[in-house]
Amino acid sequence: MENLIKSIDRAISNNDVNAIKSIFEGPSPSWMTVGQGEQRSVAAHLIVVAVKHPDFLKATMADLMDCYTQALSHLPSTVENAADNTLRSHIFQFLVDESHDYSGAARILAGSRMDGNYRMSAAEKSEIYVKIAECFLAEEEISESDAAVSKAGIFIEQI
């Protein structure tokens, strides 16, 4: 696992997209050779380090989208500084601005963790659900949009 973490650090400091891809993609990605707990740690490390380097994150979003979403699906219960939520926000913005994939953007943002160690205010939670609702509405996914509006309403009452 230490070798994978060092490889991630080196790849991000060198802006080496292919090195990240070799760890997280392909027919036999190297991060899948370690146990589940270590996979979670490696995924969290990628997210934390990528978020700490916003220029790298922005420059590699299109190339590493699959790696980022793969990492987001294998996380421990908490991630340092809620970096996973920060990454979700970046992916959301990329999907809306660049890909015009509103449904995909809404689904990424819907995975945001808001409770437990991820303390968010009622206003922050309602803002997330409003964004989700707007994206689903743009894709004419009315029932999903309505569900997000209902969730936003719960938090708006708390404000």
Side-chain angles (χ1 to χ4, degrees):
M1 181 179 91
E2 288 301 317
N3 288 338
L4 292 172
I5 297 219
K6 287 178 184 176
S7 295
I8 290 169
D9 291 341
R10 191 172 32 257
I12 289 179
S13 67
N14 294 330
N15 291 321
D16 188 351
V17 171
N18 291 326
I20 299 289
K21 283 184 174 184
S22 72
I23 295 169
F24 289 91
E25 291 182 354
S28 57
S30 59
W31 79 304
M32 296 304 266
T33 62
V34 297
Q36 276 188 334
E38 290 151 333
Q39 287 174 9
R40 294 182 200 299
S41 296
V42 170
H45 184 74
L46 170 67
I47 291 170
V48 168
V49 175
V51 167
K52 284 182 181 177
H53 294 87
D55 292 336
F56 174 83
L57 186 62
K58 185 176 182 180
T60 62
M61 188 61 70
D63 294 328
L64 295 178
M65 180 65 71
D66 291 339
C67 296
Y68 293 142
T69 55
Q70 182 80 292
L72 284 170
S73 68
H74 289 84
L75 291 177
S77 58
T78 61
V79 177
E80 179 183 331
N81 296 323
D84 53 325
N85 284 352
T86 303
L87 178 60
R88 285 181 186 285
S89 291
H90 284 283
I91 292 173
F92 170 84
Q93 208 57 57
F94 175 82
L95 290 174
V96 168
D97 295 343
E98 303 295 325
S99 301
H100 307 290
D101 177 6
Y102 299 106
S103 182
R107 292 181 202 297
I108 284 289
L109 201 56
S112 297
R113 300 192 227 187
M114 299 183 213
D115 297 322
N117 293 335
Y118 293 82
R119 305 214 179 198
M120 290 183 160
S121 69
E124 291 169 320
K125 291 176 185 178
S126 65
E127 182 180 343
I128 286 173
Y129 284 118
V130 166
K131 287 180 181 179
I132 292 168
E134 289 173 338
C135 284
F136 279 134
L137 193 57
E139 295 284 342
E140 297 183 13
E141 296 181 31
I142 305 305
S143 61
E144 290 86 349
S145 179
D146 188 47
V149 168
S150 295
K151 288 179 183 178
I154 293 168
F155 297 109
I156 288 173
E157 291 177 7
Q158 296 174 9
I159 297 174

